[in-house]
Amino acid sequence: MVFRSARPHPNEQARHPARPGIPWRTLEDFRADVDASFFPLDVTPREAASFRGRLRNSSAEGVSFTSVRAEPHTIERTPALIARHPEPYLKLSLHLEGRAHLVQNGTELVAGPGELLIYNTNRPYRVEFLDPFLTTVVQLPTSMLGDLAPRAEHINPLLVPGDDGMARMVTPFLATLGEHIEAVEVGAGAKVVASATKFLTALIEHDCDLASLRASSHNQLMIRIRDDIDSRLGDPDLTPASIAANAGVSVRQLHSLFAPTGTTVGNYVRSRRLECCFLDLANPQDDAHTIAEVGRRWGFHDAAHFSRSFRAAFDETPTALRERVAGVLT
């Protein structure tokens, strides 16, 4: 059994007025909202008489996005409920306020503000929200994960710390999306969600890989190399030569290590940089920086080259993405 305590939660409470147009719900109404947004779950509040909660949900291309603010309660997915709705999904929860205690398959995890929980829905689980809380939940069918799907259906739950490299890039986008859930179903918002899902699945794949990657010295070396690359994405001197030097291998050996992954060192670095640029450009909280500044932040010092590479990867220019997100979220 693994039990991991999260960082202390802030004093901020969830008992403040609901946003205009989003009223607090009674327990029975909240249960109905939960069933409609996810699938039937047993909801047991700590204090039934005074319970309040509210939930906003949108979906696009088979993926649901839900923002939940509520008082302490427990949700449970039992074998009987799984039998009624057996399609496997992965849930990714970003916890913004409060703590959540997840129990599944003999594993116990406690997530606090800024941390991510990833778990599947085709095995029984229980989540106890220990405090008034706010969370953004992404739920996607495991079938969308391609070759990762069989593994994803059997993984143990994962806790991704807020200071994890990939989590630092994904969480600002999820936090912003949680404030604009309704935008998911508005016009081009679906395309934003589809692109973001790519990075969420990359995060899931990244963390699913870690346990198996540690099985050999070869794979441990690849972990160190990937971590080195992620820590230096903004460095213009991030080259195969510098990566190999930091890893203590020759450039030829470095290319040989990447050969089984189906990509080259250069393509891997470029893809990671482009993913970071996408998330920054899709984050309205980062719109004070120009597109050129975002590109330079992640190692693209030639604006024209950055624009061409971005368009080739995402089928739109950086300017078009930023304008589209701004239009959807206003």
Short mmCIF file of all heavy atoms in Angstrom, two decimals, residues 84-143:
data_model
loop_
_atom_site.label_atom_id
_atom_site.label_comp_id
_atom_site.label_asym_id
_atom_site.label_seq_id
_atom_site.Cartn_x
_atom_site.Cartn_y
_atom_site.Cartn_z
N ARG A 84 -23.21 -1.58 -14.43
CA ARG A 84 -24.24 -0.85 -15.17
C ARG A 84 -23.64 0.04 -16.25
O ARG A 84 -24.27 0.30 -17.27
CB ARG A 84 -25.05 0.00 -14.20
CG ARG A 84 -25.99 -0.79 -13.30
CD ARG A 84 -26.52 0.05 -12.16
NE ARG A 84 -27.10 1.32 -12.62
CZ ARG A 84 -27.45 2.31 -11.81
NH1 ARG A 84 -27.27 2.17 -10.49
NH2 ARG A 84 -27.97 3.41 -12.29
N HIS A 85 -22.40 0.50 -16.04
CA HIS A 85 -21.72 1.39 -16.99
C HIS A 85 -20.27 0.94 -17.12
O HIS A 85 -19.37 1.55 -16.56
CB HIS A 85 -21.80 2.84 -16.52
CG HIS A 85 -23.20 3.36 -16.40
ND1 HIS A 85 -23.87 3.95 -17.45
CD2 HIS A 85 -24.07 3.36 -15.35
CE1 HIS A 85 -25.08 4.30 -17.06
NE2 HIS A 85 -25.23 3.94 -15.79
N PRO A 86 -20.03 -0.14 -17.88
CA PRO A 86 -18.70 -0.76 -17.88
C PRO A 86 -17.65 -0.08 -18.77
O PRO A 86 -16.48 -0.44 -18.71
CB PRO A 86 -18.99 -2.17 -18.40
CG PRO A 86 -20.18 -1.99 -19.28
CD PRO A 86 -21.01 -0.92 -18.63
N GLU A 87 -18.04 0.89 -19.61
CA GLU A 87 -17.05 1.48 -20.51
C GLU A 87 -15.93 2.13 -19.70
O GLU A 87 -16.19 2.94 -18.82
CB GLU A 87 -17.69 2.53 -21.42
CG GLU A 87 -16.68 3.13 -22.41
CD GLU A 87 -17.31 4.14 -23.35
OE1 GLU A 87 -18.53 4.38 -23.24
OE2 GLU A 87 -16.58 4.71 -24.17
N PRO A 88 -14.67 1.76 -19.98
CA PRO A 88 -13.56 2.30 -19.18
C PRO A 88 -13.20 3.73 -19.56
O PRO A 88 -13.09 4.08 -20.73
CB PRO A 88 -12.41 1.34 -19.50
CG PRO A 88 -12.72 0.82 -20.87
CD PRO A 88 -14.22 0.76 -20.96
N TYR A 89 -13.00 4.55 -18.55
CA TYR A 89 -12.55 5.94 -18.71
C TYR A 89 -11.34 6.16 -17.81
O TYR A 89 -11.13 5.46 -16.83
CB TYR A 89 -13.64 6.93 -18.29
CG TYR A 89 -14.79 7.04 -19.24
CD1 TYR A 89 -15.86 6.13 -19.18
CD2 TYR A 89 -14.85 8.05 -20.19
CE1 TYR A 89 -16.94 6.23 -20.03
CE2 TYR A 89 -15.94 8.17 -21.05
CZ TYR A 89 -16.97 7.26 -20.97
OH TYR A 89 -18.04 7.37 -21.83
N LEU A 90 -10.57 7.16 -18.16
CA LEU A 90 -9.56 7.69 -17.26
C LEU A 90 -10.04 9.03 -16.74
O LEU A 90 -10.59 9.83 -17.48
CB LEU A 90 -8.22 7.88 -17.98
CG LEU A 90 -7.25 6.70 -18.03
CD1 LEU A 90 -5.96 7.13 -18.68
CD2 LEU A 90 -6.97 6.14 -16.64
N LYS A 91 -9.84 9.24 -15.45
CA LYS A 91 -10.14 10.53 -14.84
C LYS A 91 -8.84 11.21 -14.46
O LYS A 91 -7.94 10.59 -13.88
CB LYS A 91 -11.00 10.36 -13.59
CG LYS A 91 -12.49 10.29 -13.85
CD LYS A 91 -13.25 10.36 -12.53
CE LYS A 91 -14.76 10.45 -12.77
NZ LYS A 91 -15.51 10.56 -11.51
N LEU A 92 -8.76 12.49 -14.79
CA LEU A 92 -7.64 13.32 -14.36
C LEU A 92 -8.22 14.50 -13.61
O LEU A 92 -8.99 15.27 -14.17
CB LEU A 92 -6.81 13.78 -15.57
CG LEU A 92 -5.53 14.55 -15.27
CD1 LEU A 92 -4.51 14.31 -16.37
CD2 LEU A 92 -5.78 16.04 -15.12
N SER A 93 -7.89 14.61 -12.32
CA SER A 93 -8.45 15.67 -11.47
C SER A 93 -7.35 16.62 -11.04
O SER A 93 -6.34 16.18 -10.46
CB SER A 93 -9.11 15.07 -10.22
OG SER A 93 -10.17 14.20 -10.57
N LEU A 94 -7.53 17.90 -11.34
CA LEU A 94 -6.64 18.94 -10.83
C LEU A 94 -7.28 19.55 -9.59
O LEU A 94 -8.38 20.13 -9.68
CB LEU A 94 -6.40 20.02 -11.88
CG LEU A 94 -5.71 21.30 -11.37
CD1 LEU A 94 -4.32 20.98 -10.83
CD2 LEU A 94 -5.65 22.35 -12.46
N HIS A 95 -6.63 19.44 -8.46
CA HIS A 95 -7.18 19.95 -7.21
C HIS A 95 -6.68 21.37 -6.98
O HIS A 95 -5.47 21.61 -6.89
CB HIS A 95 -6.83 19.01 -6.05
CG HIS A 95 -7.47 17.66 -6.22
ND1 HIS A 95 -8.73 17.38 -5.74
CD2 HIS A 95 -7.06 16.56 -6.89
CE1 HIS A 95 -9.05 16.14 -6.07
NE2 HIS A 95 -8.07 15.63 -6.78
N LEU A 96 -7.63 22.29 -6.89
CA LEU A 96 -7.30 23.71 -6.75
C LEU A 96 -7.46 24.19 -5.32
O LEU A 96 -6.76 25.10 -4.89
CB LEU A 96 -8.19 24.53 -7.68
CG LEU A 96 -8.00 24.20 -9.17
CD1 LEU A 96 -9.13 24.80 -10.00
CD2 LEU A 96 -6.66 24.72 -9.66
N GLU A 97 -8.39 23.60 -4.59
CA GLU A 97 -8.60 23.92 -3.18
C GLU A 97 -8.97 22.62 -2.46
O GLU A 97 -9.63 21.75 -3.02
CB GLU A 97 -9.73 24.94 -2.99
CG GLU A 97 -9.50 26.28 -3.66
CD GLU A 97 -10.72 27.18 -3.59
OE1 GLU A 97 -11.60 26.94 -2.73
OE2 GLU A 97 -10.81 28.12 -4.40
N GLY A 98 -8.56 22.51 -1.20
CA GLY A 98 -8.93 21.35 -0.41
C GLY A 98 -8.10 20.12 -0.74
O GLY A 98 -7.24 20.13 -1.63
N ARG A 99 -8.39 19.04 -0.03
CA ARG A 99 -7.67 17.78 -0.20
C ARG A 99 -8.64 16.66 -0.57
O ARG A 99 -9.80 16.68 -0.17
CB ARG A 99 -6.93 17.40 1.09
CG ARG A 99 -5.86 18.38 1.53
CD ARG A 99 -5.45 18.11 2.96
NE ARG A 99 -6.59 18.27 3.87
CZ ARG A 99 -6.66 17.72 5.07
NH1 ARG A 99 -5.69 16.94 5.52
NH2 ARG A 99 -7.73 17.92 5.84
N ALA A 100 -8.13 15.68 -1.31
CA ALA A 100 -8.93 14.52 -1.71
C ALA A 100 -8.14 13.25 -1.41
O ALA A 100 -6.96 13.14 -1.76
CB ALA A 100 -9.27 14.59 -3.19
N HIS A 101 -8.79 12.29 -0.77
CA HIS A 101 -8.19 11.02 -0.39
C HIS A 101 -8.78 9.93 -1.28
O HIS A 101 -9.96 9.60 -1.17
CB HIS A 101 -8.47 10.74 1.09
CG HIS A 101 -7.94 9.42 1.57
ND1 HIS A 101 -8.41 8.81 2.72
CD2 HIS A 101 -7.00 8.58 1.07
CE1 HIS A 101 -7.78 7.67 2.90
NE2 HIS A 101 -6.92 7.50 1.91
N LEU A 102 -7.96 9.39 -2.17
CA LEU A 102 -8.39 8.36 -3.13
C LEU A 102 -7.94 6.99 -2.66
O LEU A 102 -6.78 6.81 -2.26
CB LEU A 102 -7.81 8.66 -4.52
CG LEU A 102 -7.93 7.54 -5.57
CD1 LEU A 102 -9.38 7.35 -6.00
CD2 LEU A 102 -7.05 7.85 -6.78
N VAL A 103 -8.85 6.03 -2.72
CA VAL A 103 -8.52 4.63 -2.42
C VAL A 103 -8.98 3.78 -3.60
O VAL A 103 -10.15 3.79 -3.98
CB VAL A 103 -9.23 4.15 -1.13
CG1 VAL A 103 -8.86 2.69 -0.85
CG2 VAL A 103 -8.87 5.03 0.05
N GLN A 104 -8.04 3.04 -4.20
CA GLN A 104 -8.38 2.14 -5.30
C GLN A 104 -7.33 1.04 -5.39
O GLN A 104 -6.12 1.31 -5.38
CB GLN A 104 -8.45 2.88 -6.64
CG GLN A 104 -8.91 1.98 -7.80
CD GLN A 104 -8.95 2.71 -9.13
OE1 GLN A 104 -7.97 3.33 -9.55
NE2 GLN A 104 -10.09 2.65 -9.80
N ASN A 105 -7.80 -0.21 -5.49
CA ASN A 105 -6.93 -1.34 -5.75
C ASN A 105 -5.77 -1.43 -4.75
O ASN A 105 -4.64 -1.74 -5.10
CB ASN A 105 -6.35 -1.24 -7.17
CG ASN A 105 -5.80 -2.57 -7.67
OD1 ASN A 105 -6.38 -3.63 -7.40
ND2 ASN A 105 -4.70 -2.53 -8.38
N GLY A 106 -6.05 -1.15 -3.47
CA GLY A 106 -5.02 -1.24 -2.44
C GLY A 106 -4.09 -0.06 -2.37
O GLY A 106 -3.17 -0.05 -1.54
N THR A 107 -4.30 0.94 -3.18
CA THR A 107 -3.47 2.14 -3.17
C THR A 107 -4.24 3.30 -2.56
O THR A 107 -5.42 3.48 -2.86
CB THR A 107 -3.03 2.52 -4.60
OG1 THR A 107 -2.21 1.47 -5.13
CG2 THR A 107 -2.22 3.82 -4.61
N GLU A 108 -3.59 4.07 -1.70
CA GLU A 108 -4.18 5.26 -1.11
C GLU A 108 -3.32 6.47 -1.44
O GLU A 108 -2.10 6.43 -1.28
CB GLU A 108 -4.31 5.11 0.41
CG GLU A 108 -5.24 3.99 0.84
CD GLU A 108 -5.52 4.04 2.33
OE1 GLU A 108 -5.54 5.15 2.89
OE2 GLU A 108 -5.72 2.96 2.92
N LEU A 109 -3.97 7.54 -1.90
CA LEU A 109 -3.27 8.77 -2.25
C LEU A 109 -4.05 9.96 -1.72
O LEU A 109 -5.28 9.95 -1.73
CB LEU A 109 -3.13 8.90 -3.77
CG LEU A 109 -2.35 7.81 -4.51
CD1 LEU A 109 -2.52 7.97 -6.01
CD2 LEU A 109 -0.88 7.85 -4.13
N VAL A 110 -3.35 10.98 -1.27
CA VAL A 110 -3.97 12.22 -0.85
C VAL A 110 -3.42 13.34 -1.71
O VAL A 110 -2.21 13.57 -1.75
CB VAL A 110 -3.72 12.52 0.64
CG1 VAL A 110 -4.31 13.88 1.00
CG2 VAL A 110 -4.34 11.44 1.51
N ALA A 111 -4.30 14.03 -2.43
CA ALA A 111 -3.90 15.13 -3.31
C ALA A 111 -4.32 16.44 -2.69
O ALA A 111 -5.42 16.57 -2.15
CB ALA A 111 -4.54 14.97 -4.69
N GLY A 112 -3.44 17.43 -2.79
CA GLY A 112 -3.73 18.77 -2.31
C GLY A 112 -3.70 19.77 -3.44
O GLY A 112 -3.56 19.40 -4.61
N PRO A 113 -3.81 21.05 -3.13
CA PRO A 113 -3.86 22.09 -4.17
C PRO A 113 -2.65 22.03 -5.11
O PRO A 113 -1.51 21.90 -4.66
CB PRO A 113 -3.86 23.39 -3.36
CG PRO A 113 -4.49 23.01 -2.06
CD PRO A 113 -4.00 21.62 -1.78
N GLY A 114 -2.94 22.10 -6.39
CA GLY A 114 -1.89 22.06 -7.40
C GLY A 114 -1.47 20.68 -7.82
O GLY A 114 -0.61 20.54 -8.70
N GLU A 115 -2.06 19.65 -7.24
CA GLU A 115 -1.67 18.28 -7.58
C GLU A 115 -2.73 17.60 -8.43
O GLU A 115 -3.91 17.96 -8.40
CB GLU A 115 -1.40 17.47 -6.31
CG GLU A 115 -0.23 18.04 -5.52
CD GLU A 115 0.15 17.19 -4.33
OE1 GLU A 115 -0.76 16.76 -3.60
OE2 GLU A 115 1.36 16.97 -4.13
N LEU A 116 -2.29 16.61 -9.19
CA LEU A 116 -3.16 15.88 -10.11
C LEU A 116 -3.33 14.45 -9.66
O LEU A 116 -2.35 13.79 -9.26
CB LEU A 116 -2.55 15.87 -11.53
CG LEU A 116 -2.45 17.21 -12.27
CD1 LEU A 116 -1.42 17.09 -13.39
CD2 LEU A 116 -3.79 17.60 -12.84
N LEU A 117 -4.56 13.96 -9.73
CA LEU A 117 -4.84 12.53 -9.54
C LEU A 117 -5.27 11.94 -10.87
O LEU A 117 -6.10 12.53 -11.58
CB LEU A 117 -5.95 12.32 -8.51
CG LEU A 117 -5.58 12.39 -7.03
CD1 LEU A 117 -6.84 12.27 -6.18
CD2 LEU A 117 -4.58 11.29 -6.66
N ILE A 118 -4.72 10.78 -11.21
CA ILE A 118 -5.10 10.07 -12.42
C ILE A 118 -5.50 8.66 -12.02
O ILE A 118 -4.74 7.95 -11.35
CB ILE A 118 -3.93 10.00 -13.43
CG1 ILE A 118 -3.46 11.42 -13.80
CG2 ILE A 118 -4.33 9.24 -14.68
CD1 ILE A 118 -2.19 11.43 -14.64
N TYR A 119 -6.70 8.24 -12.41
CA TYR A 119 -7.15 6.90 -12.08
C TYR A 119 -8.20 6.45 -13.09
O TYR A 119 -8.77 7.27 -13.82
CB TYR A 119 -7.71 6.83 -10.65
CG TYR A 119 -8.80 7.83 -10.34
CD1 TYR A 119 -10.14 7.46 -10.31
CD2 TYR A 119 -8.49 9.15 -10.03
CE1 TYR A 119 -11.15 8.36 -9.99
CE2 TYR A 119 -9.49 10.07 -9.71
CZ TYR A 119 -10.81 9.67 -9.70
OH TYR A 119 -11.80 10.57 -9.39
N ASN A 120 -8.42 5.14 -13.17
CA ASN A 120 -9.40 4.64 -14.13
C ASN A 120 -10.71 4.33 -13.42
O ASN A 120 -10.78 4.23 -12.19
CB ASN A 120 -8.88 3.43 -14.91
CG ASN A 120 -8.50 2.27 -14.02
OD1 ASN A 120 -9.16 2.01 -13.02
ND2 ASN A 120 -7.43 1.58 -14.36
N THR A 121 -11.77 4.20 -14.22
CA THR A 121 -13.12 4.05 -13.65
C THR A 121 -13.67 2.64 -13.77
O THR A 121 -14.81 2.40 -13.38
CB THR A 121 -14.09 5.02 -14.35
OG1 THR A 121 -14.23 4.63 -15.74
CG2 THR A 121 -13.60 6.45 -14.28
N ASN A 122 -12.88 1.72 -14.32
CA ASN A 122 -13.42 0.36 -14.50
C ASN A 122 -13.05 -0.56 -13.36
O ASN A 122 -13.22 -1.78 -13.44
CB ASN A 122 -12.96 -0.23 -15.84
CG ASN A 122 -11.46 -0.44 -15.90
OD1 ASN A 122 -10.72 0.19 -15.15
ND2 ASN A 122 -11.01 -1.30 -16.80
N ARG A 123 -12.53 0.01 -12.26
CA ARG A 123 -12.31 -0.73 -11.03
C ARG A 123 -12.87 0.10 -9.87
O ARG A 123 -12.85 1.33 -9.92
CB ARG A 123 -10.81 -1.00 -10.82
CG ARG A 123 -10.29 -2.11 -11.72
CD ARG A 123 -8.85 -2.45 -11.38
NE ARG A 123 -7.94 -1.37 -11.79
CZ ARG A 123 -6.63 -1.39 -11.55
NH1 ARG A 123 -6.09 -2.40 -10.90
NH2 ARG A 123 -5.87 -0.40 -11.96
N PRO A 124 -13.37 -0.55 -8.85
CA PRO A 124 -13.99 0.21 -7.74
C PRO A 124 -13.02 1.21 -7.14
O PRO A 124 -11.82 0.97 -7.04
CB PRO A 124 -14.36 -0.89 -6.73
CG PRO A 124 -14.50 -2.13 -7.57
CD PRO A 124 -13.47 -2.01 -8.65
N TYR A 125 -13.56 2.36 -6.74
CA TYR A 125 -12.73 3.36 -6.06
C TYR A 125 -13.60 4.19 -5.13
O TYR A 125 -14.83 4.23 -5.25
CB TYR A 125 -11.99 4.25 -7.06
CG TYR A 125 -12.87 5.12 -7.93
CD1 TYR A 125 -13.34 6.35 -7.48
CD2 TYR A 125 -13.21 4.73 -9.23
CE1 TYR A 125 -14.13 7.16 -8.29
CE2 TYR A 125 -13.99 5.52 -10.04
CZ TYR A 125 -14.44 6.74 -9.57
OH TYR A 125 -15.24 7.53 -10.36
N ARG A 126 -12.92 4.86 -4.20
CA ARG A 126 -13.59 5.79 -3.30
C ARG A 126 -12.73 7.04 -3.18
O ARG A 126 -11.51 6.96 -3.07
CB ARG A 126 -13.77 5.17 -1.91
CG ARG A 126 -14.55 6.06 -0.94
CD ARG A 126 -14.76 5.41 0.42
NE ARG A 126 -13.54 5.41 1.23
CZ ARG A 126 -12.80 4.35 1.48
NH1 ARG A 126 -13.14 3.16 0.98
NH2 ARG A 126 -11.72 4.43 2.22
N VAL A 127 -13.37 8.20 -3.29
CA VAL A 127 -12.67 9.47 -3.09
C VAL A 127 -13.38 10.23 -1.98
O VAL A 127 -14.58 10.51 -2.08
CB VAL A 127 -12.65 10.33 -4.38
CG1 VAL A 127 -11.90 11.64 -4.11
CG2 VAL A 127 -12.02 9.57 -5.54
N GLU A 128 -12.64 10.54 -0.92
CA GLU A 128 -13.18 11.35 0.17
C GLU A 128 -12.58 12.75 0.09
O GLU A 128 -11.36 12.92 0.14
CB GLU A 128 -12.84 10.73 1.53
CG GLU A 128 -13.40 11.54 2.70
CD GLU A 128 -13.01 10.97 4.04
OE1 GLU A 128 -12.24 9.99 4.08
OE2 GLU A 128 -13.49 11.51 5.06
N PHE A 129 -13.44 13.73 -0.10
CA PHE A 129 -13.01 15.12 -0.11
C PHE A 129 -12.99 15.60 1.34
O PHE A 129 -14.03 15.71 1.98
CB PHE A 129 -13.94 15.95 -0.98
CG PHE A 129 -13.91 15.54 -2.43
CD1 PHE A 129 -14.88 14.70 -2.95
CD2 PHE A 129 -12.88 15.96 -3.27
CE1 PHE A 129 -14.85 14.30 -4.28
CE2 PHE A 129 -12.83 15.56 -4.60
CZ PHE A 129 -13.82 14.73 -5.10
N LEU A 130 -11.80 15.87 1.85
CA LEU A 130 -11.61 16.09 3.27
C LEU A 130 -11.96 17.50 3.72
O LEU A 130 -12.17 17.73 4.91
CB LEU A 130 -10.14 15.80 3.63
CG LEU A 130 -9.64 14.40 3.27
CD1 LEU A 130 -8.14 14.30 3.49
CD2 LEU A 130 -10.38 13.35 4.08
N ASP A 131 -12.03 18.44 2.76
CA ASP A 131 -12.29 19.85 3.06
C ASP A 131 -13.26 20.39 2.02
O ASP A 131 -13.48 19.76 0.99
CB ASP A 131 -11.00 20.68 2.98
CG ASP A 131 -9.81 19.99 3.61
OD1 ASP A 131 -9.79 19.91 4.85
OD2 ASP A 131 -8.92 19.52 2.86
N PRO A 132 -13.82 21.58 2.26
CA PRO A 132 -14.48 22.26 1.15
C PRO A 132 -13.47 22.37 0.01
O PRO A 132 -12.30 22.68 0.24
CB PRO A 132 -14.83 23.62 1.73
CG PRO A 132 -14.94 23.38 3.20
CD PRO A 132 -13.88 22.37 3.51
N PHE A 133 -13.89 22.11 -1.22
CA PHE A 133 -12.89 21.94 -2.28
C PHE A 133 -13.37 22.53 -3.60
O PHE A 133 -14.55 22.81 -3.82
CB PHE A 133 -12.58 20.45 -2.48
CG PHE A 133 -13.71 19.67 -3.10
CD1 PHE A 133 -13.77 19.47 -4.48
CD2 PHE A 133 -14.73 19.14 -2.32
CE1 PHE A 133 -14.82 18.76 -5.06
CE2 PHE A 133 -15.78 18.43 -2.89
CZ PHE A 133 -15.83 18.25 -4.27
N LEU A 134 -12.39 22.67 -4.49
CA LEU A 134 -12.62 23.04 -5.88
C LEU A 134 -11.70 22.18 -6.73
O LEU A 134 -10.49 22.09 -6.47
CB LEU A 134 -12.31 24.52 -6.12
CG LEU A 134 -12.35 25.01 -7.58
CD1 LEU A 134 -13.76 24.88 -8.15
CD2 LEU A 134 -11.86 26.45 -7.68
N THR A 135 -12.25 21.52 -7.75
CA THR A 135 -11.45 20.65 -8.60
C THR A 135 -11.94 20.73 -10.03
O THR A 135 -13.14 20.97 -10.29
CB THR A 135 -11.50 19.19 -8.10
OG1 THR A 135 -10.61 18.38 -8.88
CG2 THR A 135 -12.90 18.61 -8.21
N THR A 136 -11.03 20.56 -10.96
CA THR A 136 -11.36 20.43 -12.38
C THR A 136 -11.08 19.01 -12.81
O THR A 136 -9.97 18.50 -12.59
CB THR A 136 -10.54 21.41 -13.24
OG1 THR A 136 -10.83 22.76 -12.84
CG2 THR A 136 -10.86 21.25 -14.71
N VAL A 137 -12.07 18.35 -13.41
CA VAL A 137 -11.95 16.93 -13.75
C VAL A 137 -12.07 16.76 -15.27
O VAL A 137 -13.01 17.27 -15.89
CB VAL A 137 -13.04 16.09 -13.07
CG1 VAL A 137 -12.86 14.61 -13.39
CG2 VAL A 137 -13.03 16.33 -11.56
N VAL A 138 -11.11 16.05 -15.83
CA VAL A 138 -11.16 15.66 -17.24
C VAL A 138 -11.39 14.15 -17.29
O VAL A 138 -10.68 13.39 -16.63
CB VAL A 138 -9.86 16.00 -17.98
CG1 VAL A 138 -9.94 15.61 -19.45
CG2 VAL A 138 -9.54 17.48 -17.85
N GLN A 139 -12.40 13.73 -18.01
CA GLN A 139 -12.72 12.31 -18.12
C GLN A 139 -12.73 11.93 -19.59
O GLN A 139 -13.48 12.49 -20.38
CB GLN A 139 -14.08 12.01 -17.50
CG GLN A 139 -14.49 10.55 -17.56
CD GLN A 139 -15.76 10.28 -16.79
OE1 GLN A 139 -15.75 10.15 -15.58
NE2 GLN A 139 -16.88 10.20 -17.49
N LEU A 140 -11.86 10.98 -19.97
CA LEU A 140 -11.80 10.59 -21.37
C LEU A 140 -11.81 9.07 -21.50
O LEU A 140 -11.27 8.36 -20.65
CB LEU A 140 -10.55 11.16 -22.05
CG LEU A 140 -9.17 10.65 -21.65
CD1 LEU A 140 -8.17 10.95 -22.75
CD2 LEU A 140 -8.69 11.31 -20.36
N PRO A 141 -12.45 8.55 -22.56
CA PRO A 141 -12.46 7.11 -22.77
C PRO A 141 -11.04 6.60 -22.99
O PRO A 141 -10.25 7.23 -23.70
CB PRO A 141 -13.30 6.93 -24.05
CG PRO A 141 -14.07 8.21 -24.18
CD PRO A 141 -13.21 9.28 -23.60
N THR A 142 -10.70 5.49 -22.38
CA THR A 142 -9.36 4.95 -22.58
C THR A 142 -9.12 4.57 -24.03
O THR A 142 -7.98 4.52 -24.48
CB THR A 142 -9.12 3.72 -21.69
OG1 THR A 142 -10.11 2.72 -21.97
CG2 THR A 142 -9.20 4.09 -20.22
N SER A 143 -10.19 4.34 -24.79
CA SER A 143 -10.04 4.00 -26.21
C SER A 143 -9.37 5.12 -26.99
O SER A 143 -8.79 4.88 -28.06
CB SER A 143 -11.39 3.69 -26.83
OG SER A 143 -12.28 4.79 -26.69
#
